[in-house]
């Protein structure tokens, strides 16, 4: 029996993925070698992207300000280190049982040749002329967009028609020639409501400066992101958004001079990093995930809807 896209998706979902999409390798045309799937598998024909939902309930305790562990434990470490790798392995086994090579690419970076925060290259030698230095860093959101799972929203967070901003991604690169999924055009999910901009506690998402990238058939655009500010807000680097903040946590402008030193002052972050290999995500993505999710649910632009609205009490903010 020939290996088909439909069978690959069926096996991927049975292995635990909520969504499975497929991109043909030509949709990565123009990607730098340091970020190109074919740099890992030169004979690549297809890129398979698996999406695993972030539970809405894992954000509940952060929304209420009373329980912060569910998000980093279940929906960072749980997905990236447990649920997704098992699904990647099972689907890769299935593909290889059908005579094609499958390269699993987990959503965990060990030591990429590009700085994951700022995108700058590291001083590292390639093993041969014409090849990029290791490790190649795939852009998961671009891959998922190319695979027809959704679009990159204005916040730069990846959005699907099913879950909005609530998913994490994993990738398989294969030499199997699989039928690609149609892409979702830009603006299908993100309507530029700008709630992500308004509710970001540090103004990390620019309202007027944008970045655009051609992915396959379309050009997608999102707001320019101040990654340093985003990192601080998301992982508890500002007092107003962190009930675990020690008394000596510096103000934003000072914290920006020593981001990781600031974050390591927070006991919750140290414990989370030790237990889950992730910082605590204490900020709970107030603008880019929670505000976005609330808007997409209210407007009916996603299919995974609930009996009760997510925000049932005023959002908390420490003075």
């Amino acid at each position: 029996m020939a290996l088909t896209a439909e069978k690959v998706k069926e096996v991927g979902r049975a292995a635990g993925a909520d969504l499975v999409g497929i991109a043909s390798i030509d949709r990565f045309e123009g990607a730098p070698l340091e970020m190109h799937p074919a740099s890992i598998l030169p004979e690549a024909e297809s890129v398979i992207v698996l999406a695993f939902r972030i539970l809405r309930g894992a954000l509940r305790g952060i929304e209420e300000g009373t329980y912060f562990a569910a998000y980093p434990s279940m929906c960072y470490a749980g997905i990236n280190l447990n649920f997704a790798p098992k699904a990647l392995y099972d689907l890769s086994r299935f593909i290889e049982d059908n005579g094609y090579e499958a390269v699993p690419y987990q959503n965990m970076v060990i030591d990429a040749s590009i700085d994951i925060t700022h995108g700058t290259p590291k001083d590292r030698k390639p093993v041969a002329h014409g090849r990029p230095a290791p490790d190649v860093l795939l852009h998961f959101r671009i891959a998922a967009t190319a695979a027809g799972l959704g679009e990159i929203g204005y916040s730069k967070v990846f959005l699907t028609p099913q879950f909005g901003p609530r998913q994490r991604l994993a990738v398989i690169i294969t030499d199997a020639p699989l039928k690609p999924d149609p892409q979702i055009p830009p603006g299908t999910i993100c309507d530029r409501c700008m709630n992500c901009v308004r509710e970001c506690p540090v103004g990390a998402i620019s309202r007027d400066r944008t970045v655009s990238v051609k992915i396959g058939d379309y050009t997608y655009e999102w707001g320019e992101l101040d990654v340093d500010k985003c990192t601080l807000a998301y992982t508890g680097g500002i007092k107003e958004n962190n009930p675990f903040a020690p008394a000596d946590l510096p103000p934003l402008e000072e914290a920006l001079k020593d981001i990781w030193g600031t974050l390591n002052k927070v006991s919750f972050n140290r414990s989370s990093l030790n237990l889950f290999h992730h910082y605590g995500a204490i900020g709970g993505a107030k603008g880019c995930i929670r505000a976005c999710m609330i808007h997409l649910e209210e407007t009916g632009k996603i299919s995974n809807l609930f009996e009760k609205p997510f925000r049932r009490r005023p959002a908390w903010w420490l003075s």
Side-chain angles (χ1 to χ4, degrees):
M1 180 184 294
L3 184 67
T4 66
E6 289 71 23
K7 189 61 180 177
V8 164
K9 293 179 197 175
E10 178 186 330
V11 172
R13 289 190 293 267
D18 288 290
L19 308 170
V20 183
I22 299 172
S24 52
I25 197 66
D26 62 285
R27 291 181 181 173
F28 295 86
E29 181 181 355
L33 289 178
E34 294 80 6
M35 303 182 77
H36 202 299
S39 293
I40 299 173
L41 177 59
E43 294 76 26
E45 294 273 356
S46 306
V47 175
I48 305 163
V49 182
L50 287 68
F52 302 81
R53 77 178 77 184
I54 295 170
L55 298 173
R56 191 188 198 235
L59 297 165
R60 171 56 53 197
I62 298 176
E63 174 72 10
E64 305 299 333
T66 54
Y67 179 61
F68 289 73
Y71 188 32
S73 63
M74 292 297 295
C75 294
Y76 260 111
I79 293 175
N80 289 349
L81 298 177
N82 292 290
F83 315 139
K86 178 64 165 59
L88 283 175
Y89 188 71
D90 287 350
L91 182 53
S92 294
R93 287 169 57 205
F94 171 75
I95 293 168
E96 296 207 342
D97 281 345
N98 280 270
Y100 294 98
E101 197 163 288
V103 180
Y105 197 108
Q106 182 182 357
N107 196 344
M108 284 292 289
V109 177
I110 296 176
D111 191 3
S113 64
I114 298 174
D115 180 87
I116 191 171
T117 304
H118 299 102
T120 52
K122 297 177 183 176
D123 185 16
R124 188 168 297 165
K125 292 182 179 180
V127 300
H129 179 71
R131 300 182 197 176
D135 261 0
V136 169
L137 179 66
L138 296 186
H139 196 300
F140 284 87
R141 301 172 200 187
I142 287 178
T145 302
L149 288 181
E151 63 170 307
I152 300 173
Y154 191 81
S155 67
K156 200 183 174 183
V157 170
F158 183 71
L159 310 176
T160 64
Q162 293 82 9
F163 307 111
R166 290 190 295 108
Q167 57 269 310
R168 301 210 183 282
L169 306 166
V171 169
I172 293 173
I173 309 164
T174 180
D175 54 358
L178 302 171
K179 181 181 178 182
D181 287 298
Q183 289 179 245
I184 292 179
T188 301
I189 308 165
C190 179
D191 59 8
R192 301 292 182 97
C193 73
M194 296 298 181
N195 284 355
C196 57
V197 176
R198 282 188 290 272
E199 291 211 30
C200 177
V202 291
I205 308 164
S206 174
R207 181 178 290 275
D208 47 27
R209 295 187 304 277
T210 61
V211 175
S212 60
V213 174
K214 188 176 187 301
I215 306 171
D217 298 330
Y218 301 99
T219 297
Y220 297 84
E221 183 181 52
W222 53 85
E224 184 178 280
L225 184 68
D226 186 320
V227 179
D228 290 339
K229 285 184 177 180
C230 174
T231 300
L232 278 171
Y234 193 51
T235 47
I238 56 172
K239 289 183 178 180
E240 296 83 357
N241 205 31
N242 180 3
F244 303 95
D248 63 344
L249 197 72
L252 178 62
E253 293 307 316
E254 287 297 315
L256 286 169
K257 299 174 184 177
D258 183 13
I259 294 171
W260 303 111
T262 297
L263 296 178
N264 283 320
K265 286 178 176 287
V266 181
S267 61
F268 188 92
N269 276 336
R270 297 195 302 271
S271 297
S272 181
L273 192 61
N274 181 53
L275 290 170
F276 310 132
H277 306 287
H278 286 279
Y279 280 93
I282 296 166
K286 186 174 184 288
C288 57
I289 291 184
R290 284 186 284 154
C292 176
M293 174 185 71
I294 290 168
H295 174 75
L296 294 177
E297 288 183 0
E298 288 176 347
T299 55
K301 300 198 77 171
I302 55 176
S303 60
N304 186 223
L305 299 174
F306 296 82
E307 293 296 322
K308 295 179 181 178
F310 182 74
R311 182 153 293 162
R312 303 163 201 173
R313 285 158 285 278
W316 59 271
W317 187 251
L318 301 174
S319 57

